Amino acid sequence: MTELIFATHNQHKVSEAQAILPASVHIRSLHDIRCHEEIPETQNSLQGNALQKAQYVAERYHCHCFADDTGLEIDALDGRPGVYSARYAGEGCSFADNMRKVLDELRDVKELERRSARFRTVIALILEGKTYFFEGRVEGFITLQPVGAEGFGYDPVFLPKGYTQTFAEMDAAEKNRISHRGRAMAQMIDFLRKA
Ligand code: IMP
């Protein structure tokens, strides 16, 4: 049994990971190890941020751990919001504020094909002092308006390519199967099985 700390305060992501990872990998949250401080995330790449968060926790809590960082990359906005997805509309903004800003910036791009985007997740895993990276992505389009109430973040405006429902209309299992984080996690699971 491998015990891994998921270096995130987002309980939604911890539950998602618990549902995806095999029973042989026991996930604990920062809450479980009584880590309540904010984890610094000041790099300008997904890989840099994932590594920074994993290192911070591994060094202080002497554990095996992983962290992820995700960005929504919109082609018509030159890849924005990208690494700045969480606070795109400003410090303290809500998911709704971020979606509003993206939809506003895309107001002159009416055709769905020109609203192409992807979610990209990078996971940094620190195991026995060594670092490993895994990446997952899902291609799709930004809808003209938010649809659906499940999930979080930009889910209501993200229509995965080849599907007729946004992420926010899918149940968690369906989203996990095709999502950026699900795919990155699948790669990490594959690695852990062979390790
Ligand atoms: P994080 O690196 O996982 O914290 O993600 C940064 C930001 O990207 C989040 O605050 C969300 O706005 C967005 N995001 C990350 N994952 C998802 C997802 O699965 N669906 C929708 N938005 C997401």
Side-chain angles (χ1 to χ4, degrees), residues 10 13 16 41 53 68-72 85-87 95 98 119 152-155 167 175 179-181:
N10 182 336
K13 292 205 300 195
E16 238 183 46
E41 190 176 342
K53 290 186 275 189
D68 71 338
D69 204 46
T70 294
L72 174 64
S85 294
R87 292 173 201 87
F95 292 143
N98 283 336
F119 275 115
F152 69 103
Y154 299 88
D155 279 347
F167 268 170
K175 178 186 163 188
S179 83
H180 44 301
R181 204 166 21 261

Side-chain angles (χ1 to χ4, degrees), residues 182-193:
R183 286 174 174 164
M185 212 69 94
Q187 299 220 7
M188 183 173 78
I189 292 167
D190 224 40
F191 170 83
L192 289 169
R193 283 213 179 96

Side-chain angles (χ1 to χ4, degrees), residues 64-80:
H64 303 313
C65 90
F66 69 97
D68 71 338
D69 204 46
T70 294
L72 174 64
E73 301 169 343
I74 302 176
D75 295 323
L77 301 181
D78 298 324
R80 293 194 313 277

Side-chain angles (χ1 to χ4, degrees), residues 1-5 24-28 33 63-65 127:
M1 155 102 58
T2 310
E3 187 174 279
L4 279 181
I5 310 299
S24 56
V25 179
H26 182 56
I27 294 272
R28 296 179 75 203
I33 59 167
C63 55
H64 303 313
C65 90
L127 198 65

Side-chain angles (χ1 to χ4, degrees), residues 9-176:
H9 287 298
N10 182 336
Q11 194 49 47
H12 194 105
K13 292 205 300 195
V14 177
S15 316
E16 238 183 46
Q18 272 162 344
I20 297 173
L21 287 164
S24 56
V25 179
H26 182 56
I27 294 272
R28 296 179 75 203
S29 67
L30 291 180
H31 181 78
D32 293 333
I33 59 167
R34 298 202 175 90
C35 166
H36 301 298
E37 68 243 62
E38 198 169 326
I39 314 291
E41 190 176 342
T42 54
Q43 306 301 302
N44 59 9
S45 68
L46 299 179
Q47 179 160 339
N49 276 335
L51 179 61
Q52 185 180 23
K53 290 186 275 189
Q55 270 175 343
Y56 182 94
V57 173
E59 280 165 13
R60 279 164 188 75
Y61 293 85
H62 309 287
C63 55
H64 303 313
C65 90
F66 69 97
D68 71 338
D69 204 46
T70 294
L72 174 64
E73 301 169 343
I74 302 176
D75 295 323
L77 301 181
D78 298 324
R80 293 194 313 277
V83 71
Y84 306 108
S85 294
R87 292 173 201 87
Y88 194 45
E91 214 46 57
C93 63
S94 65
F95 292 143
D97 296 333
N98 283 336
M99 281 191 284
R100 211 171 298 120
K101 176 161 178 179
V102 158
L103 291 179
D104 187 50
E105 289 187 328
L106 286 174
R107 66 190 173 282
D108 295 330
V109 185
K110 307 274 190 232
E111 306 84 26
L112 199 62
E113 304 78 65
R114 292 180 53 222
R115 296 167 70 98
S116 54
R118 73 203 52 75
F119 275 115
R120 199 158 65 81
T121 293
V122 175
I123 292 178
L125 167 70
I126 300 184
L127 198 65
E128 275 142 27
K130 289 206 184 102
T131 305
Y132 306 90
F133 290 101
F134 308 93
E135 186 181 308
R137 51 174 78 195
V138 56
E139 299 288 333
F141 303 95
I142 303 300
T143 54
L144 292 169
Q145 56 199 20
V147 188
E150 302 294 324
F152 69 103
Y154 299 88
D155 279 347
V157 294
F158 189 81
L159 180 69
K161 195 171 182 175
Y163 289 78
T164 54
Q165 290 185 313
T166 67
F167 268 170
E169 293 177 285
M170 295 180 176
D171 63 35
E174 193 177 4
K175 178 186 163 188
N176 284 341

